[in-house]
Amino acid sequence: MSSTISIRLPEDVADLLDKVAEETERSRSFHVQKAVLKYLEEFADAQIALDRLRDKDDPVITAAELRATLGL
């Protein structure tokens, strides 16, 4: 099932989206959906990283310690 949403884009962004849609023979909706999914994945990754940084029980090591642990 899908939902319909409306968004406003600056004209230059809409023009770029139209160009990509035409070049790839895919709909604007296809590209917007892919972009939103990518953003949400990146947002989730960033949130996990921030949560780990705030966790006082999660040890922090230096890059040198990591390389030594990995034998690099």
Side-chain angles (χ1 to χ4, degrees):
M1 179 177 241
S2 62
S3 297
T4 301
I5 62 169
S6 296
I7 61 169
R8 286 195 189 275
L9 297 173
E11 196 164 328
D12 59 330
V13 175
D15 290 344
L16 287 171
L17 178 59
D18 286 339
K19 183 178 178 182
V20 169
E22 185 178 329
E23 288 177 4
T24 61
E25 298 181 355
R26 297 280 193 158
S27 68
R28 292 184 296 178
S29 292
F30 172 85
H31 290 288
V32 170
Q33 180 182 6
K34 294 294 182 184
V36 169
L37 286 171
K38 186 68 173 172
Y39 173 82
L40 294 174
E41 290 169 1
E42 295 292 327
F43 182 83
D45 288 345
Q47 191 61 50
I48 290 168
L50 288 173
D51 290 345
R52 290 196 68 191
L53 283 172
R54 293 180 186 128
D55 183 357
K56 302 290 187 224
D57 296 326
D58 195 10
V60 176
I61 63 172
T62 66
E65 291 170 320
L66 176 61
R67 284 192 294 275
T69 301
L70 297 174
L72 301 176

